[in-house]
Structure formats: structure tokens, C-alpha cells
Amino acid sequence: MTTPNEGGCSAIDLSFIIPCLDESLGLKSVLEDCHTGGQLSGLRYEIIVADNGSTDGSQLIAQQLQARVIPVALRGYGAALRAGIQASMGAFIMMGDGDGTYCFREAPRFLQKLQQGDDLVIGNRFQGSIAKGAMPFLHRYLGNPVLSGLGRMFFGIRIGDFHCGLRAFRKEAIEQLGLSCPGMEFASEMVIKASLKQLRIAEVPTSLRPDHPHRRPHLRTWRDGWRHLRFMLSFSPKYAFLALAITLLTVSLGAVISYATDLKPFTGPNTLMIASFAFMTALVLTSDYITTRILFEQLYVYRGSSRLGRFFKWLGTYAGTNRLFQLSGLLVLASAGVLLPFATNGAISISSKPSNLLIFTSSSLAMLGLFCYLTGAKLSTFMAISASKNS
């Protein structure tokens, strides 16, 4: 029997969740498609409209079409969907916008993937069809391709349409991800955390239709694009920290070589100041990368370099940080030792190139020592907090 939820019936297999903020122009057709998709799926289903404070009568339309309205005080696409997921009763959930751009009649294709063992199924509009005027030029040829490409590069996710809003998933699998983003970046958060938790992700071709010509769009191209990118970087320490650290180390090394070999125009002592600044910044970024990576390895399955992992293990970052503190002390002593013989006989001159290179070497060793100390201190704090939470 394929009927919508009636009278709070608990035997629900499928929940449709529609985030809603003043969607009266397209909501009727969306809910009708949900009923059709639910009936075609052969499952008992319910429809939940997670309302974000509509003032255009969207709630009444939803009730008239047998949908359950969940009021959500916290504004935002992600906030509405999280509330809908929490209130849902189905083992399977299908989500999509309330503006009529997605077709919920395609539900059986998504559900077939879930029934075959996938945890998250995402629509791919580029493999399906995009009606004329359904996607703005910037979104179609810049925003979506760039962000989807970065998602594949950062996280190794084989998804062609990273931000398609028509999705189906197992409720039990998604609930373990701890989704928290209130805004549009919720779409990225779901995919990224599902990948880090090694859930099975699949995609199916889907269609995209134009929304109502008089509807006011909720998506803000540059603001929401930046929020997606910011979230991606926050979950990718390799690209947020390590890539820039390597670049700055290269700049530092190049500046030192230029100064030492009289390569014009980088021949003055200011070149060593640039090298020192780049080296110091690279060490700060590397320290942040190490501590962030260790944190991710505690929470998720981190797909980083195995060689770096072995190096971190040698440093003792997984079981303690004594080796980092020991290295810090040795490096500081080495820094002082480089200068000591010259300082005692007054041989150091700020106008001498060998002396300047010697000072740079000494300060670099001191910075490395500080790097080891700060990294060890941060990891010690993190481990102490983790231990107290687990006790």
C-alpha cells in the first residue's frame, strides 16, 4: 500500500523533506510530484515541509496537500533541512527545493540506489537535462564546475554535480555525520562528511526546470559560493595550509639562493628579510596543518599522504609529543651554537654576506625550534582535552 502518512502512522519507509520560505508559487506542483514519486516508489511515505517563517500562505498549501508542516525558527536552508531530518520517520529520506525546479517523480531512481546499498544518492543535472533558463550562466559555467572540481580534488569524491539539491539518503547514515551548517553550505557539508566517514555515495542523472518567473531567488551567487568554498577549505587542511606552506618555503629558499649567488635584483640584505618572513609563515602554516590533520584523523578517515603519516608517527604526534619538545630544545641550542664561535671573537658584521647568511641560518634554526615547541604544545593540549572527554 502506498499512501502518505495518515494520523501519525509510524510505518513510514520514505520521507520527502522540502525546505520552505515563501514558496507558494511552486509548492503545489512540488508536493504533487512528491505524491506521484511516493506512489511510484511502492513505499509508504510522508511529506514534511520545513517552514522557515513563510508569510505567503505556503503552510496552508502544504496542509491542503497532506504534508506535515514543521516550523523552523532558525533561518537558513541547512537549518530547515536539519529540522526536517530530525522530525522525519522514514528510513529513507529524499530532499529537494520547494520552488519547482526539481522533479520528485524521479524518486524511484534514487531509491533504487539506496536499496542496492548506497548511503547517499545525489542528482547530476549535467548528466541529465537543464531546461533553458533553469540555471544562471555563472552557476552553470563557472560556479558549479569550479566548486565541483575543487570538491573532487580536495576530497577525492567522484561526483560530477557537487551542489545538486535533489538527494536521497539513509537517515541512519546521515544522522551520524553531525551536520551543523545552517546555510546553503549544508549541501557541501553533507557530501564532504559522508566522504570522510566513508559512506557509499552515488549519483543519478536528474533534470532541472526553471522556477516561477515571479519568485524571488534565495541563492546569493557570490556570498553562497564563498560559503561553500570556505567550508571546503576548512575540511581540507592539505590545501588550506600545506599547499601555501610549500609555496612559501619555495619562496624562502629561492630568496636565499638569490642572495647567496648575487642573482639580481635580489642581492641586498632585504632579500634575507623576505626569506625569513616567508620561512616563518610557512612554519606557522605547517604547524596548523599537522595539528588539524591529527584532529581529523581522530574524527574521520583522513586520506592524506602515508609518508607524512609515518613522519608524524616518528615525531610522536599520535601517542605523545615529547620528541617535538626534545627537537625544540636541540634546535635552539644549535641556533646558539652556530653564532657562538663568531660572537666571541667579534667576527660577525652586518655588512658581510657570509655573516648575514650565518645570522639567517641561526634564526631559521631558532624558528624551527619554536615551530616544534608550539606544535607540541598544541597537540598536548588537544590530547589532554580528548583524554578528559573520554574518561
Side-chain angles (χ1 to χ4, degrees):
M1 184 176 182
T2 58
T3 60
N5 179 29
E6 297 173 358
C9 174
S10 60
I12 298 298
D13 303 303
L14 169 64
S15 298
F16 292 98
I17 300 179
I18 316 295
C20 178
L21 175 60
D22 295 331
E23 299 288 8
S24 61
L25 295 174
L27 189 58
K28 183 176 184 293
S29 65
V30 169
L31 297 179
E32 289 173 347
D33 280 353
C34 287
H35 283 297
T36 301
Q39 291 163 6
L40 290 172
S41 72
L43 303 175
R44 292 187 66 92
Y45 66 95
E46 65 173 351
I47 304 174
I48 295 175
V49 172
D51 185 69
N52 241 172
S54 298
T55 58
D56 65 347
S58 294
Q59 302 93 330
L60 181 59
I61 294 172
Q63 292 167 353
Q64 290 173 342
L65 287 166
Q66 296 179 283
R68 181 156 57 105
V69 178
I70 304 295
V72 184
L74 180 62
R75 285 291 182 96
Y77 173 79
L81 284 169
R82 286 192 289 116
I85 293 170
Q86 185 176 10
S88 65
M89 295 185 288
F92 299 143
I93 293 176
M94 188 165 189
M95 57 173 263
D97 298 344
D99 57 6
T101 54
Y102 292 117
C103 183
F104 285 89
R105 298 184 184 189
E106 300 173 357
R109 271 192 287 167
F110 288 77
L111 293 168
Q112 183 182 19
K113 289 284 188 180
L114 294 178
Q115 291 165 339
Q116 291 172 351
D118 290 307
D119 298 300
L120 171 62
V121 185
I122 305 173
N124 189 321
R125 296 163 291 184
F126 300 99
Q127 290 181 354
S129 62
I130 302 175
K132 184 178 179 180
M135 185 182 292
F137 181 88
L138 274 178
H139 295 186
R140 184 169 185 172
Y141 297 105
L142 179 63
N144 269 292
V146 168
L147 289 174
S148 295
L150 290 175
R152 291 190 293 271
M153 182 174 72
F154 288 3
F155 306 102
I157 304 171
R158 298 180 179 274
I159 295 296
D161 189 1
F162 210 76
H163 299 103
C164 181
L166 190 62
R167 305 176 178 193
F169 49 85
R170 297 176 181 274
K171 180 179 180 179
E172 182 180 13
I174 295 301
E175 282 184 328
Q176 67 177 287
L177 301 182
L179 302 177
S180 60
C181 289
M184 291 292 184
E185 68 274 23
F186 178 86
S188 293
E189 180 187 25
M190 178 183 288
V191 182
I192 291 168
K193 288 187 174 180
S195 172
L196 292 174
K197 283 288 189 180
Q198 293 193 315
L199 300 186
R200 288 182 56 177
I201 305 174
E203 61 180 350
V204 296
T206 191
S207 58
L208 185 70
R209 306 175 294 198
D211 61 3
H212 195 281
H214 299 298
R215 176 184 176 271
R216 182 179 178 182
H218 297 321
L219 185 66
R220 299 291 181 267
T221 300
W222 298 108
R223 182 199 66 182
D224 291 321
W226 161 242
R227 291 174 71 166
H228 281 290
L229 178 58
R230 182 183 64 190
F231 186 85
M232 287 183 183
L233 288 171
S234 69
F235 270 74
S236 179
K238 177 180 177 181
Y239 289 94
F241 300 118
L242 191 58
L244 184 55
I246 292 172
T247 301
L248 289 171
L249 281 173
T250 304
V251 170
S252 178
L253 179 61
V256 173
I257 293 173
S258 297
Y259 177 77
T261 59
D262 286 326
L263 181 63
K264 294 182 178 181
F266 305 105
T267 58
N270 285 340
T271 300
L272 289 183
M273 293 181 62
I274 295 172
S276 295
F277 175 78
F279 184 66
M280 178 179 63
T281 307
L283 290 180
V284 171
L285 289 168
T286 304
S287 177
D288 287 341
Y289 166 72
I290 292 173
T291 52
T292 306
R293 171 169 168 159
I294 299 301
L295 173 61
F296 270 80
E297 288 184 352
Q298 298 290 324
L299 300 173
Y300 304 103
V301 178
Y302 187 77
R303 297 169 182 167
S305 167
S306 58
R307 290 181 180 178
L308 276 176
R310 289 194 292 270
F311 176 65
F312 293 160
K313 186 176 181 179
W314 177 82
L315 285 177
T317 54
Y318 297 103
T321 56
N322 284 341
R323 187 163 290 168
L324 280 170
F325 291 121
Q326 292 166 357
L327 282 172
S328 174
L330 288 174
L331 287 165
V332 170
L333 288 175
S335 171
V338 167
L339 292 180
L340 188 60
F342 298 91
T344 54
N345 58 26
I348 294 179
S349 170
I350 59 173
S351 61
S352 164
K353 178 175 291 186
S355 295
N356 287 342
L357 287 170
L358 194 66
I359 293 171
F360 175 80
T361 301
S362 176
S363 62
S364 296
L365 288 171
M367 284 187 281
L368 275 171
L370 182 61
F371 157 77
C372 290
Y373 171 78
L374 291 176
T375 304
K378 286 187 285 186
L379 287 172
S380 294
T381 301
F382 167 68
M383 291 173 183
I385 293 172
S386 298
S388 64
K389 283 187 174 181
N390 295 329
S391 62

